[in-house]
Coordinates of all heavy atoms in Angstrom, one line a residue:
P22 N 20.1 20.9 -0.8 CA 18.8 20.6 -1.5 C 18.3 19.2 -1.2 O 19.1 18.3 -1.0 CB 19.1 20.8 -3.0 CG 20.6 21.0 -3.1 CD 21.2 21.1 -1.8
A23 N 17.0 19.1 -1.1 CA 16.4 17.9 -0.8 C 16.5 17.0 -2.0 O 16.3 17.4 -3.1 CB 14.9 18.1 -0.4
T24 N 16.8 15.7 -1.7 CA 16.8 14.7 -2.8 C 15.6 13.8 -2.6 O 14.9 13.9 -1.6 CB 18.1 13.9 -2.8 OG1 18.2 13.2 -1.6 CG2 19.3 14.8 -3.0
S25 N 15.4 12.8 -3.5 CA 14.3 11.9 -3.3 C 14.4 11.1 -2.0 O 13.4 10.5 -1.5 CB 14.2 11.0 -4.5 OG 15.4 10.2 -4.6
T26 N 15.6 10.9 -1.5 CA 15.7 10.2 -0.2 C 15.6 11.0 1.0 O 15.5 10.5 2.1 CB 17.1 9.4 -0.2 OG1 18.2 10.4 -0.3 CG2 17.2 8.4 -1.3
N27 N 15.7 12.3 0.8 CA 15.5 13.3 2.0 C 14.1 13.8 2.1 O 13.5 14.0 1.1 CB 16.5 14.5 1.8 CG 17.9 14.1 1.9 OD1 18.3 13.1 2.6 ND2 18.8 14.9 1.3
V28 N 13.7 13.9 3.3 CA 12.3 14.4 3.5 C 12.5 15.9 3.8 O 13.2 16.4 4.6 CB 11.7 13.7 4.7 CG1 10.3 14.3 5.0 CG2 11.5 12.2 4.4
T29 N 11.7 16.7 3.0 CA 11.8 18.2 3.2 C 11.0 18.5 4.5 O 10.1 17.8 5.0 CB 11.2 18.9 2.0 OG1 9.8 18.6 1.9 CG2 11.9 18.5 0.7
S30 N 11.2 19.7 5.0 CA 10.5 20.2 6.2 C 9.0 20.3 5.9 O 8.2 20.0 6.7 CB 11.1 21.5 6.7 OG 10.9 22.5 5.8
S31 N 8.7 20.6 4.7 CA 7.2 20.7 4.3 C 6.6 19.4 4.3 O 5.5 19.2 4.8 CB 7.1 21.4 2.9 OG 5.8 21.3 2.5
E32 N 7.3 18.3 3.8 CA 6.7 17.0 3.8 C 6.6 16.5 5.2 O 5.7 15.8 5.6 CB 7.6 16.1 3.0 CG 7.6 16.3 1.5 CD 8.7 15.6 0.7 OE1 9.8 15.3 1.3 OE2 8.4 15.2 -0.4
R33 N 7.6 16.8 6.0 CA 7.6 16.3 7.4 C 6.4 17.0 8.2 O 5.7 16.3 8.9 CB 8.9 16.7 8.1 CG 9.1 16.1 9.5 CD 10.5 16.3 10.1 NE 11.6 16.0 9.2 CZ 12.4 16.8 8.6 NH1 12.3 18.1 8.9 NH2 13.4 16.4 7.9
S34 N 6.2 18.3 7.9 CA 5.1 19.0 8.5 C 3.8 18.4 8.1 O 2.9 18.2 8.9 CB 5.2 20.5 8.2 OG 4.1 21.2 8.7
A35 N 3.6 18.1 6.8 CA 2.4 17.5 6.3 C 2.2 16.1 7.0 O 1.1 15.8 7.4 CB 2.4 17.4 4.8
A36 N 3.2 15.3 7.1 CA 3.1 14.0 7.7 C 2.8 14.1 9.2 O 1.9 13.4 9.7 CB 4.4 13.2 7.6
D37 N 3.4 15.1 9.9 CA 3.0 15.3 11.3 C 1.6 15.7 11.5 O 0.9 15.3 12.4 CB 3.9 16.4 11.9 CG 5.4 15.9 12.1 OD1 5.6 14.7 12.0 OD2 6.3 16.8 12.3
S38 N 1.1 16.6 10.6 CA -0.3 17.0 10.6 C -1.2 15.9 10.4 O -2.3 15.7 11.0 CB -0.5 18.1 9.6 OG 0.2 19.3 9.9
L39 N -0.9 15.0 9.4 CA -1.7 13.9 9.1 C -1.8 12.9 10.3 O -2.8 12.4 10.7 CB -1.2 13.1 7.9 CG -2.0 11.9 7.5 CD1 -3.4 12.2 7.2 CD2 -1.3 11.2 6.3
R40 N -0.6 12.7 10.9 CA -0.6 11.8 12.1 C -1.5 12.4 13.2 O -2.2 11.6 13.9 CB 0.8 11.6 12.6 CG 1.6 10.5 11.8 CD 2.9 10.1 12.4 NE 3.8 11.2 12.5 CZ 4.7 11.5 11.5 NH1 4.7 10.8 10.4 NH2 5.5 12.5 11.6
A41 N -1.3 13.7 13.5 CA -2.1 14.3 14.5 C -3.6 14.2 14.2 O -4.4 13.9 15.1 CB -1.7 15.8 14.7
E42 N -4.0 14.4 13.0 CA -5.4 14.3 12.6 C -5.9 12.9 12.7 O -7.0 12.6 13.1 CB -5.6 14.9 11.2 CG -7.0 14.8 10.7 CD -8.0 15.7 11.4 OE1 -7.6 16.6 12.1 OE2 -9.2 15.5 11.3
L43 N -5.0 11.9 12.3 CA -5.4 10.5 12.4 C -5.6 10.1 13.8 O -6.5 9.4 14.2 CB -4.3 9.7 11.7 CG -4.6 8.2 11.6 CD1 -5.9 7.9 10.9 CD2 -3.5 7.5 10.9
R44 N -4.7 10.6 14.7 CA -4.9 10.3 16.2 C -6.2 10.8 16.7 O -7.0 10.1 17.4 CB -3.8 10.9 17.0 CG -2.5 10.0 17.1 CD -1.6 10.5 18.2 NE -1.1 11.9 17.9 CZ 0.0 12.1 17.2 NH1 0.7 11.2 16.6 NH2 0.4 13.4 17.0
K45 N -6.6 12.0 16.3 CA -7.8 12.6 16.7 C -9.0 11.8 16.2 O -9.9 11.5 16.9 CB -7.9 14.1 16.2 CG -9.2 14.8 16.5 CD -9.1 16.2 15.9 CE -10.4 16.9 16.1 NZ -11.4 16.7 15.1
V46 N -9.0 11.5 14.9 CA -10.1 10.8 14.3 C -10.2 9.4 14.9 O -11.3 8.9 15.2 CB -9.9 10.7 12.7 CG1 -10.9 9.7 12.1 CG2 -10.1 12.1 12.1
Y47 N -9.1 8.7 15.0 CA -9.1 7.4 15.6 C -9.7 7.4 17.0 O -10.5 6.6 17.4 CB -7.7 6.8 15.6 CG -7.7 5.3 16.1 CD1 -8.1 4.3 15.3 CD2 -7.4 5.0 17.4 CE1 -8.2 3.0 15.8 CE2 -7.4 3.8 17.9 CZ -7.8 2.7 17.1 OH -7.9 1.5 17.5
G48 N -9.2 8.4 17.8 CA -9.8 8.5 19.2 C -11.3 8.7 19.2 O -11.9 8.2 20.1
E49 N -11.8 9.5 18.3 CA -13.2 9.8 18.2 C -14.0 8.7 17.6 O -15.2 8.5 17.9 CB -13.4 11.1 17.4 CG -12.9 12.3 18.1 CD -13.0 13.5 17.2 OE1 -13.3 13.4 16.0 OE2 -12.7 14.6 17.6
R50 N -13.4 7.9 16.7 CA -14.2 7.0 15.8 C -13.8 5.5 15.9 O -14.3 4.7 15.2 CB -14.2 7.5 14.4 CG -14.7 8.9 14.1 CD -16.1 9.1 14.5 NE -17.1 8.3 13.8 CZ -17.6 8.6 12.6 NH1 -17.3 9.8 12.0 NH2 -18.5 7.8 12.1
S51 N -12.8 5.2 16.8 CA -12.3 3.8 16.8 C -13.4 2.8 17.1 O -13.4 1.7 16.4 CB -11.2 3.7 17.8 OG -11.6 4.0 19.1
Q52 N -14.3 3.1 17.9 CA -15.4 2.1 18.2 C -16.3 2.0 17.0 O -16.8 0.9 16.7 CB -16.2 2.6 19.4 CG -15.4 2.4 20.7 CD -16.2 2.9 21.9 OE1 -17.2 3.6 21.8 NE2 -15.8 2.5 23.1
D53 N -16.6 3.1 16.3 CA -17.4 3.0 15.1 C -16.7 2.2 14.0 O -17.3 1.4 13.3 CB -17.8 4.4 14.6 CG -18.6 5.2 15.5 OD1 -19.4 4.6 16.3 OD2 -18.5 6.4 15.6
L54 N -15.4 2.4 13.9 CA -14.6 1.7 12.9 C -14.6 0.2 13.2 O -14.8 -0.6 12.3 CB -13.2 2.2 12.8 CG -13.0 3.6 12.2 CD1 -11.6 4.2 12.6 CD2 -13.1 3.5 10.7
F55 N -14.4 -0.1 14.5 CA -14.4 -1.5 14.8 C -15.8 -2.1 14.6 O -15.9 -3.3 14.0 CB -14.1 -1.7 16.3 CG -14.3 -3.1 16.8 CD1 -13.3 -4.1 16.5 CD2 -15.4 -3.5 17.5 CE1 -13.5 -5.4 16.9 CE2 -15.6 -4.8 17.9 CZ -14.6 -5.7 17.6
A56 N -16.9 -1.5 14.9 CA -18.2 -2.0 14.7 C -18.5 -2.2 13.2 O -19.0 -3.2 12.8 CB -19.3 -1.1 15.3
F57 N -18.0 -1.3 12.4 CA -18.2 -1.4 10.9 C -17.4 -2.6 10.4 O -17.9 -3.4 9.7 CB -17.7 -0.1 10.3 CG -17.8 -0.1 8.8 CD1 -19.0 -0.2 8.2 CD2 -16.7 0.2 8.0 CE1 -19.2 -0.2 6.8 CE2 -16.8 0.2 6.6 CZ -18.0 0.0 6.0
A58 N -16.1 -2.7 10.8 CA -15.3 -3.8 10.4 C -15.9 -5.1 10.9 O -15.8 -6.2 10.2 CB -13.9 -3.6 10.9
Y59 N -16.4 -5.1 12.1 CA -17.0 -6.4 12.6 C -18.2 -6.8 11.8 O -18.4 -8.0 11.5 CB -17.5 -6.2 14.1 CG -18.1 -7.4 14.7 CD1 -17.3 -8.5 15.1 CD2 -19.5 -7.5 14.8 CE1 -17.9 -9.6 15.6 CE2 -20.0 -8.6 15.4 CZ -19.2 -9.7 15.8 OH -19.8 -10.8 16.3
R60 N -19.1 -5.8 11.4 CA -20.2 -6.1 10.5 C -19.7 -6.7 9.2 O -20.4 -7.6 8.6 CB -21.1 -4.9 10.3 CG -22.0 -4.6 11.5 CD -23.0 -3.6 11.1 NE -22.6 -2.3 10.6 CZ -22.2 -1.3 11.4 NH1 -22.2 -1.4 12.7 NH2 -21.7 -0.2 10.8
L61 N -18.6 -6.3 8.7 CA -18.1 -6.8 7.4 C -17.5 -8.1 7.6 O -17.6 -8.9 6.6 CB -17.0 -5.8 6.9 CG -17.6 -4.4 6.5 CD1 -16.4 -3.5 6.1 CD2 -18.5 -4.5 5.3
T62 N -16.8 -8.4 8.7 CA -16.0 -9.6 8.8 C -16.7 -10.7 9.7 O -16.5 -11.9 9.5 CB -14.7 -9.4 9.5 OG1 -14.9 -8.9 10.8 CG2 -13.9 -8.4 8.7
G63 N -17.6 -10.3 10.6 CA -18.2 -11.2 11.5 C -17.3 -11.8 12.6 O -17.7 -12.7 13.3
S64 N -16.1 -11.2 12.7 CA -15.2 -11.7 13.7 C -14.5 -10.5 14.4 O -14.0 -9.6 13.8 CB -14.1 -12.5 12.9 OG -12.9 -12.7 13.7
E65 N -14.5 -10.6 15.7 CA -13.8 -9.5 16.5 C -12.4 -9.4 16.2 O -11.8 -8.3 16.0 CB -14.0 -9.8 18.0 CG -15.4 -9.5 18.5 CD -15.5 -9.7 20.0 OE1 -14.5 -9.6 20.7 OE2 -16.6 -9.9 20.5
R66 N -11.7 -10.6 16.1 CA -10.2 -10.6 15.8 C -10.0 -10.0 14.4 O -9.1 -9.1 14.3 CB -9.7 -12.0 15.9 CG -8.2 -12.0 15.7 CD -7.6 -13.4 16.1 NE -6.2 -13.3 16.0 CZ -5.4 -13.7 15.0 NH1 -6.0 -14.3 14.0 NH2 -4.1 -13.7 15.0
L67 N -10.7 -10.4 13.4 CA -10.5 -9.9 12.1 C -10.8 -8.4 12.0 O -10.1 -7.6 11.3 CB -11.3 -10.6 11.1 CG -10.8 -12.0 10.7 CD1 -11.8 -12.7 9.7 CD2 -9.4 -11.9 10.0
A68 N -11.9 -8.0 12.7 CA -12.2 -6.6 12.8 C -11.1 -5.7 13.3 O -10.8 -4.7 12.8 CB -13.5 -6.4 13.5
E69 N -10.5 -6.2 14.4 CA -9.4 -5.5 15.0 C -8.2 -5.4 14.1 O -7.6 -4.3 13.9 CB -8.9 -6.2 16.3 CG -9.9 -6.0 17.5 CD -9.5 -6.9 18.7 OE1 -8.5 -7.6 18.6 OE2 -10.3 -6.8 19.7
D70 N -8.0 -6.5 13.4 CA -6.9 -6.5 12.4 C -7.1 -5.6 11.2 O -6.2 -4.9 10.8 CB -6.6 -7.9 11.9 CG -6.0 -8.9 12.9 OD1 -5.5 -8.4 13.9 OD2 -6.0 -10.1 12.6
V71 N -8.4 -5.5 10.8 CA -8.7 -4.7 9.6 C -8.5 -3.2 10.0 O -8.0 -2.4 9.2 CB -10.2 -5.0 9.2 CG1 -10.7 -3.9 8.2 CG2 -10.2 -6.3 8.5
V72 N -9.0 -2.8 11.2 CA -8.9 -1.4 11.6 C -7.4 -1.1 11.8 O -7.0 0.0 11.3 CB -9.7 -1.2 12.9 CG1 -9.4 0.2 13.4 CG2 -11.2 -1.3 12.6
H73 N -6.7 -1.9 12.4 CA -5.3 -1.7 12.6 C -4.5 -1.5 11.3 O -3.8 -0.6 11.1 CB -4.7 -2.9 13.5 CG -3.2 -2.7 13.8 ND1 -2.7 -3.2 14.9 CD2 -2.2 -2.1 13.1 CE1 -1.4 -2.9 14.9 NE2 -1.1 -2.3 13.8
E74 N -4.8 -2.5 10.4 CA -4.1 -2.4 9.1 C -4.5 -1.2 8.3 O -3.7 -0.6 7.6 CB -4.5 -3.7 8.3 CG -3.8 -3.8 6.9 CD -2.3 -3.8 6.9 OE1 -1.7 -4.3 8.0 OE2 -1.7 -3.5 5.9
S75 N -5.7 -0.7 8.5 CA -6.2 0.5 7.8 C -5.4 1.7 8.2 O -5.0 2.5 7.4 CB -7.7 0.7 8.0 OG -8.4 -0.4 7.4
V76 N -5.2 1.8 9.6 CA -4.5 2.9 10.1 C -3.0 2.8 9.7 O -2.4 3.8 9.3 CB -4.6 2.9 11.7 CG1 -3.6 4.0 12.3 CG2 -6.0 3.2 12.1
L77 N -2.4 1.6 9.7 CA -1.0 1.5 9.3 C -0.9 1.8 7.8 O 0.2 2.4 7.4 CB -0.6 0.0 9.5 CG -0.3 -0.3 10.9 CD1 0.1 -1.8 11.0 CD2 0.7 0.6 11.6
R78 N -1.9 1.5 7.0 CA -1.8 1.9 5.5 C -1.6 3.4 5.3 O -0.9 3.8 4.5 CB -3.0 1.4 4.8 CG -3.0 -0.1 4.6 CD -4.3 -0.6 3.9 NE -4.4 0.1 2.6 CZ -4.1 -0.5 1.4 NH1 -3.6 -1.7 1.4 NH2 -4.2 0.2 0.3
I79 N -2.3 4.1 6.2 CA -2.2 5.6 6.1 C -0.8 6.0 6.6 O -0.1 6.8 6.0 CB -3.3 6.3 6.9 CG1 -4.7 6.0 6.3 CG2 -3.1 7.8 7.0 CD1 -5.8 6.4 7.1
L80 N -0.4 5.5 7.8 CA 0.8 6.0 8.4 C 2.0 5.6 7.6 O 3.0 6.4 7.6 CB 0.9 5.3 9.8 CG 0.0 5.9 10.8 CD1 0.1 5.1 12.1 CD2 0.2 7.4 11.1
D81 N 2.1 4.5 6.9 CA 3.3 4.1 6.2 C 3.2 4.5 4.7 O 4.1 4.2 4.0 CB 3.6 2.6 6.4 CG 2.7 1.7 5.8 OD1 1.8 2.1 4.9 OD2 2.7 0.5 6.1
G82 N 2.2 5.2 4.3 CA 2.1 5.7 3.0 C 1.7 4.7 1.9 O 1.7 5.1 0.7
R83 N 1.2 3.6 2.3 CA 0.7 2.6 1.3 C -0.7 3.1 0.7 O -1.1 2.6 -0.3 CB 0.5 1.2 1.9 CG 1.8 0.5 2.1 CD 1.5 -0.9 2.7 NE 1.2 -0.8 4.1 CZ 0.5 -1.6 4.8 NH1 0.0 -2.7 4.2 NH2 0.2 -1.4 6.0
C84 N -1.3 4.0 1.4 CA -2.6 4.5 0.9 C -2.4 6.0 0.7 O -2.1 6.8 1.6 CB -3.6 4.3 2.0 SG -5.2 4.9 1.5
R85 N -2.5 6.5 -0.5 CA -2.4 7.9 -0.8 C -3.7 8.6 -0.4 O -4.8 8.2 -0.8 CB -2.1 8.1 -2.3 CG -0.8 7.6 -2.7 CD -0.6 8.0 -4.1 NE 0.6 7.4 -4.6 CZ 1.8 8.0 -4.6 NH1 1.9 9.2 -4.2 NH2 2.9 7.4 -5.1
L86 N -3.6 9.6 0.4 CA -4.7 10.4 0.9 C -4.6 11.8 0.5 O -3.6 12.4 0.6 CB -4.8 10.3 2.4 CG -5.1 9.0 3.1 CD1 -5.1 9.2 4.6 CD2 -6.5 8.5 2.6
D87 N -5.7 12.3 0.0 CA -5.8 13.7 -0.2 C -6.9 14.2 0.8 O -8.1 14.2 0.4 CB -6.2 14.0 -1.6 CG -6.3 15.5 -2.0 OD1 -6.1 16.3 -1.0 OD2 -6.6 15.8 -3.1
V88 N -6.5 14.6 2.0 CA -7.4 15.0 3.0 C -8.3 16.2 2.5 O -9.4 16.3 3.0 CB -6.7 15.3 4.3 CG1 -7.7 15.8 5.4 CG2 -5.9 14.1 4.8
A89 N -7.8 17.0 1.6 CA -8.6 18.1 1.1 C -9.8 17.6 0.3 O -10.8 18.3 0.2 CB -7.7 19.0 0.2
R90 N -9.8 16.3 -0.1 CA -10.9 15.8 -0.9 C -12.1 15.4 0.0 O -13.2 15.1 -0.5 CB -10.5 14.6 -1.7 CG -9.7 14.9 -2.9 CD -9.4 13.7 -3.7 NE -10.5 12.8 -3.9 CZ -10.4 11.5 -4.0 NH1 -9.2 10.9 -4.0 NH2 -11.5 10.7 -4.1
G91 N -11.8 15.2 1.3 CA -12.9 14.8 2.2 C -12.4 14.6 3.6 O -11.3 14.7 3.9
D92 N -13.4 14.2 4.4 CA -13.2 14.0 5.8 C -12.3 12.8 6.0 O -12.6 11.7 5.4 CB -14.6 13.8 6.4 CG -14.6 13.6 7.9 OD1 -13.9 12.8 8.4 OD2 -15.4 14.3 8.5
L93 N -11.3 12.9 6.9 CA -10.4 11.8 7.1 C -11.2 10.6 7.7 O -10.8 9.4 7.3 CB -9.3 12.2 8.0 CG -8.2 11.1 8.3 CD1 -7.6 10.6 7.1 CD2 -7.2 11.7 9.3
A94 N -12.1 10.8 8.5 CA -12.9 9.7 9.1 C -13.6 8.9 7.9 O -13.6 7.7 7.9 CB -13.9 10.2 10.1
L95 N -14.2 9.6 7.0 CA -14.9 8.9 5.9 C -13.8 8.2 5.0 O -14.1 7.0 4.6 CB -15.6 9.9 5.0 CG -16.8 10.6 5.7 CD1 -17.5 11.6 4.8 CD2 -17.8 9.6 6.2
L96 N -12.7 8.7 4.8 CA -11.6 8.1 4.1 C -11.2 6.8 4.8 O -11.0 5.7 4.2 CB -10.5 9.0 3.8 CG -10.7 10.2 2.9 CD1 -9.6 11.2 3.0 CD2 -11.0 9.8 1.5
L97 N -11.1 6.9 6.1 CA -10.7 5.7 6.9 C -11.7 4.6 6.8 O -11.4 3.4 6.7 CB -10.4 6.1 8.3 CG -9.7 5.2 9.3 CD1 -8.5 4.6 8.6 CD2 -9.4 5.8 10.6
F98 N -13.0 5.0 6.9 CA -14.1 4.0 6.7 C -14.0 3.3 5.4 O -14.2 2.1 5.2 CB -15.5 4.6 6.9 CG -15.9 4.7 8.4 CD1 -15.7 5.9 9.1 CD2 -16.5 3.6 9.0 CE1 -16.1 5.9 10.4 CE2 -16.9 3.7 10.3 CZ -16.6 4.8 11.0
G99 N -13.6 4.1 4.3 CA -13.5 3.5 3.0 C -12.3 2.5 2.9 O -12.5 1.5 2.3
I100 N -11.3 2.8 3.6 CA -10.1 1.9 3.6 C -10.5 0.6 4.4 O -10.2 -0.5 3.9 CB -8.9 2.6 4.3 CG1 -8.4 3.7 3.4 CG2 -7.8 1.5 4.5 CD1 -7.4 4.6 4.1
V101 N -11.2 0.8 5.5 CA -11.7 -0.4 6.2 C -12.6 -1.3 5.3 O -12.5 -2.5 5.2 CB -12.5 0.0 7.5 CG1 -13.2 -1.2 8.1 CG2 -11.5 0.6 8.5
R102 N -13.5 -0.6 4.6 CA -14.4 -1.3 3.7 C -13.7 -2.1 2.6 O -14.0 -3.2 2.2 CB -15.4 -0.4 3.0 CG -16.4 -1.1 2.2 CD -17.3 -0.1 1.4 NE -16.5 0.6 0.4 CZ -16.3 1.9 0.3 NH1 -17.0 2.7 1.2 NH2 -15.6 2.4 -0.6
N103 N -12.6 -1.5 2.1 CA -11.9 -2.2 1.0 C -10.8 -3.1 1.5 O -10.3 -3.9 0.9 CB -11.3 -1.1 0.1 CG -12.3 -0.4 -0.7 OD1 -13.3 -1.0 -1.1 ND2 -12.2 0.9 -0.7

């Protein structure tokens, strides 16, 4: 049986699906995300860092996402904004 330290196959599958969707969204919207972050920060370097950190927040679980609640791209723009 799975314990709190073991990842179930269902959780692994959900994580794999999220990573695949994130790769797709990032590939399609990375320039838009950067432009948005640049408008917020006024700095290319900071904009790159903000976008990178936003993606990492999703990948490492620091940001809880319910993709069923909305479009992943919109959620990613929200993370960049915050």
Side-chain angles (χ1 to χ4, degrees):
T24 64
S25 61
T26 58
N27 293 334
V28 176
T29 67
S30 62
S31 175
E32 290 169 328
R33 190 174 308 113
S34 177
D37 289 344
S38 293
L39 178 60
R40 280 191 294 275
E42 181 67 15
L43 185 57
R44 273 192 299 273
K45 177 181 177 277
V46 167
Y47 184 79
E49 294 171 352
R50 304 298 300 271
S51 61
Q52 290 180 342
D53 296 330
L54 288 163
F55 172 79
F57 181 60
Y59 180 77
R60 283 193 302 275
L61 294 172
T62 64
S64 163
E65 287 184 22
R66 184 168 187 261
L67 284 176
E69 289 173 359
D70 288 347
V71 166
V72 172
H73 182 149
E74 180 64 23
S75 298
V76 171
L77 288 179
R78 288 179 59 100
I79 294 171
L80 290 175
D81 69 13
R83 285 183 283 155
C84 181
R85 294 184 186 266
L86 291 178
D87 182 0
V88 179
R90 284 184 45 210
D92 184 309
L93 182 57
L95 295 178
L96 294 171
L97 192 51
F98 276 96
I100 295 168
V101 167
R102 184 187 67 237
N103 293 318

